[in-house]
Amino acid sequence: MNQKENHSKAAVLGLQHLLAMYSGSILVPIMIAGALGYSPQQLTYLISTDIFMCGVATLLQLQLNKYFGVGLPIVLGVAFQSVAPLIMIGQSHGSGAMFGALIASGIYVVLVAGVFSKVANLFPSIVTGSVITTIGLTLIPVAIGNMGNNVEKPTGQSLALATITILIILLVNIFTKGFIKSISILIGLIAGTIIAATMGLVDFSPVAEAPLVHIPTPFYFGAPQFEISSIVMMCIIATVSMVESTGVYLALSDITKDPIDSIRLRNGYRAEGLAVLLGGLFNTFPYTGFSQNVGLVKLSGIRTRLPIYYAAGFLILLGLLPKFGALAQIIPSPVLGGAMLVMFGFVSLQGMQILSRVDFEHNEHNFLIAAVSIAAGVGLNGSNLFNTLPTELQMFFSNGIVIASTVAIILNAILNRKK
């Protein structure tokens, strides 16, 4: 195969990687913007800049030098674990505190990368599995709200549209294989929106009003504010992201037969920290390795970084064209909710798969760690149990992901200290 054919194939594979992570990347800004009441113009900026920064973050991680970059075929996307904490911070302290906390947590990741690369074994499968399971379970109610169009009395039309979207995603998963199966969520979103358009439920004005080109702007939502409880919360979330990324790095290392040591792990964390820092500066979100793209690397059999360079380039290009970002806004809430329900179910199952590899038979402490951390995370998420406490403590104790992460890490450190 000549060089031109190599690049053509790499470009097609790069497009596949983009499609595989696209639905996950647009859902996060839509959820956060909806919760914080951003305007359509602000949401268009968020989505476009988020896609652009996914490309930049991926480029940072593809590097193989002595300072940053793990140098594996990895695609970075928005960390789902950041959704609930960012919404909570934005609602309590405003957008400035949200992006200030991201900037601080990015710096934190860069600073602790060297230490974390040597203690990553302190975060075994019992911790990561419990946390990822909790992430999925705590986000499912958001999906249910969207399925009912976020109103007190949902119409039959909303529920029918959500159900149709779910059925489409299920059918794609049942009757297709490989890459088509891997983009079932995206197919469901597109098909559901087309059906909604035939029912007159799609508003195309955000696409018409979006500019042709835009340049990401630092501090688009105003100057950052550095509120201490928000920073602590996002540093905990950043630690969870590093744990999750470790699994992605090791999986890709195994698939590509490219062994990584603590130095490359450190450089991978540093690249992630830089990506989070840039996300805060340009008012987008934190980034982490996308595990669904690991499956595509295995599926394609192409283990070089060239397709991922193309994917990063496509992401940057799309991010400069706001009309593509605005397209995500025309998706009706029930369609979005149906897709979210399946996606967050997938996230929960991913956590449960990790837990299935944990030794529960010979170590009963693992039962306690998983049971208490998941129960506390799901039970306390959004609860009114701590409404008498100051706002900062309410934010911390009412965030299921933060609680599950903290409880799992502490219990594992205490109960499994000898191991």
Side-chain angles (χ1 to χ4, degrees), residues 197-231:
T198 65
M199 300 162 67
L201 299 175
V202 176
D203 177 14
F204 290 95
S205 59
V207 180
E209 293 167 6
L212 287 173
V213 179
H214 92 138
I215 302 297
T217 309
F219 309 123
Y220 177 86
F221 287 91
Q225 296 170 6
F226 299 97
E227 196 276 321
I228 187 65
S229 64
S230 304
I231 291 170

Side-chain angles (χ1 to χ4, degrees), residues 80-329:
F80 267 114
Q81 54 264 37
S82 68
V83 173
L86 287 175
I87 289 173
M88 198 171 284
I89 293 167
Q91 289 175 338
S92 300
H93 298 289
S95 298
M98 190 168 73
F99 296 118
L102 281 180
I103 292 169
S105 66
I107 294 169
Y108 157 80
V109 172
V110 173
L111 292 177
V112 303
V115 175
F116 197 85
S117 66
K118 294 180 174 64
V119 298
N121 62 326
L122 293 179
F123 303 93
S125 296
I126 185 64
V127 173
T128 55
S130 299
V131 172
I132 293 171
T133 302
T134 306
I135 290 167
L137 294 176
T138 54
L139 289 174
I140 286 171
V142 179
I144 300 296
N146 276 279
M147 286 171 67
N149 216 11
N150 293 307
V151 294
E152 195 170 322
K153 294 182 179 178
T155 63
Q157 195 177 46
S158 295
L159 298 177
L161 203 51
T163 304
I164 289 168
T165 304
I166 293 169
L167 285 173
I168 291 167
I169 295 170
L170 291 177
L171 289 171
V172 172
N173 271 279
I174 293 166
F175 293 108
T176 65
K177 293 181 180 179
F179 169 67
I180 298 297
K181 186 176 179 178
S182 75
I183 61 166
S184 60
I185 301 289
L186 186 63
I187 291 170
L189 287 170
I190 294 169
T193 302
I194 291 170
I195 293 167
T198 65
M199 300 162 67
L201 299 175
V202 176
D203 177 14
F204 290 95
S205 59
V207 180
E209 293 167 6
L212 287 173
V213 179
H214 92 138
I215 302 297
T217 309
F219 309 123
Y220 177 86
F221 287 91
Q225 296 170 6
F226 299 97
E227 196 276 321
I228 187 65
S229 64
S230 304
I231 291 170
V232 170
M233 188 180 291
M234 290 316 298
C235 285
I236 292 171
I237 295 298
T239 305
V240 173
S241 293
M242 284 196 287
V243 173
E244 190 177 352
S245 290
T246 305
V248 173
Y249 299 159
L250 295 175
L252 282 170
S253 171
D254 183 57
I255 292 168
T256 60
K257 309 301 180 193
D258 181 8
I260 55 173
D261 54 16
S262 62
I263 292 173
R264 282 180 69 178
L265 277 176
R266 178 202 68 190
N267 292 351
Y269 301 139
R270 279 183 183 172
E272 206 163 287
L274 287 171
V276 176
L277 173 58
L278 288 171
L281 292 173
F282 285 91
N283 290 175
T284 59
F285 308 109
Y287 300 95
T288 189
F290 257 31
S291 54
Q292 55 261 53
N293 290 84
V294 176
L296 265 186
V297 172
K298 191 170 184 177
L299 184 72
S300 68
I302 307 296
R303 295 164 182 175
T304 68
R305 287 172 286 160
L306 186 59
I308 313 301
Y309 274 108
Y310 273 101
F314 291 146
L315 284 164
I316 289 170
L317 180 63
L318 283 182
L320 295 174
L321 306 172
K323 286 193 183 294
F324 280 96
L327 276 173
Q329 292 191 55

